[in-house]
Amino acid sequence: MYPNTADQAFTNTMLGRVTHLMTGIQQSHYCAGSSVAVCVSAAAALYPCTKALCCARARLSNGQSILELGCGWGSLSLFMAQAYPSSSITAVSNSSTQKEFIMKRARDLDIHNLQVITADMVDFQAPDTYDRVVSVEMFEHMKNYQELMRRISTWIKPGGGLFVHIFAHKSSPYHFEVKDETDWMARYFFSGGTMPSLDLLLYFQ
């Protein structure tokens, strides 16, 4: 999915709602600008304007069923749940600690449309089908993209869509392998994963 005029209009609307939506999630922030938003934020995995942009590019709307793969500490999950109160948000994390943290934040914020599943993405099977599947910086942890994309295709309702935000090399995918002490990403962050190229996912449509 690529940004267009409708995406930009929706993004601008979302940016105008950031202060309201992020009460209790963000410590402090400000946003300025129209087509390009400048944000400074404290204590966030994703800045609120970036979250709004992700939602715009994923073409999310109120009332959809949304599956988030690799939700981390729930920054985007909580944002979507507040932004789309009539949607049902299902988030997947491989950490029970992350689930406990997210659900506590949801209770604190009086959010009732979010559930978190603890599962290893290698073995995960979605319990339902969804209007949108979204993933932010999870694919880099995976190896078998063909199988991953095959599974995801069975979790999307007819007419639905997939939004993926990833790091990408401009031309060549490569495995994250620890060869020496300089391989920080491979050692501590994307261990056993893959750096995709810009066009890699297109091979698995």
Side-chain angles (χ1 to χ4, degrees):
M1 296 181 179
Y2 298 95
N4 55 28
T5 303
D7 290 341
Q8 186 59 63
F10 178 79
T11 300
N12 290 340
T13 299
M14 290 297 294
L15 296 182
R17 299 173 61 193
V18 162
T19 300
H20 171 71
L21 292 174
M22 297 308 293
T23 300
I25 296 178
Q26 296 288 127
Q27 296 281 321
S28 62
H29 65 268
Y30 67 84
C31 298
S34 54
S35 60
V36 177
V38 179
C39 300
V40 174
S41 172
L46 287 171
Y47 296 153
C49 294
T50 306
K51 296 170 196 169
L53 185 59
C54 284
C55 292
R57 290 182 172 174
R59 294 184 172 90
L60 303 187
S61 62
N62 205 21
Q64 290 176 331
S65 55
I66 302 167
L67 174 66
E68 183 186 3
L69 302 177
C71 66
W73 293 99
S75 181
L76 181 60
S77 307
L78 293 163
F79 182 88
M80 292 188 296
Q82 286 194 303
Y84 309 104
S86 296
S87 292
S88 59
I89 314 296
T90 301
V92 183
S93 165
N94 66 352
S95 166
S96 59
T97 302
Q98 289 179 335
K99 176 180 179 178
E100 291 171 5
F101 175 84
I102 296 166
M103 296 314 297
K104 182 181 185 304
R105 297 297 297 126
R107 291 191 296 271
D108 291 344
L109 295 167
D110 199 30
I111 290 173
H112 303 284
N113 59 333
L114 170 64
Q115 65 168 327
V116 181
I117 297 173
T118 302
D120 187 329
M121 278 307 305
V122 173
D123 306 311
F124 175 71
Q125 295 292 340
D128 206 342
T129 55
Y130 304 86
D131 297 302
R132 293 290 185 272
V133 176
V134 300
S135 179
V136 175
E137 295 175 16
M138 185 279 294
F139 273 56
E140 298 93 324
H141 293 275
M142 307 300 291
K143 279 288 192 192
N144 191 340
Y145 279 30
Q146 181 171 356
E147 175 61 16
L148 177 63
M149 294 295 282
R150 185 198 67 77
R151 291 186 191 181
I152 291 173
S153 71
T154 68
W155 304 338
I156 300 174
K157 293 179 179 179
L162 167 66
F163 171 81
V164 179
H165 174 97
I166 50 175
F167 289 101
H169 189 276
K170 64 180 180 180
S171 60
S172 303
Y174 59 86
H175 298 301
F176 284 109
E177 297 176 335
V178 179
K179 297 177 181 178
D180 56 47
E181 291 299 321
T182 66
D183 294 317
W184 184 88
M185 279 288 224
R187 183 181 296 274
Y188 299 110
F189 202 68
F190 292 131
S191 303
T194 304
M195 171 64 84
S197 58
L198 285 173
D199 62 350
L200 184 61
L201 297 186
L202 299 179
Y203 289 93
F204 304 106
Q205 296 187 92

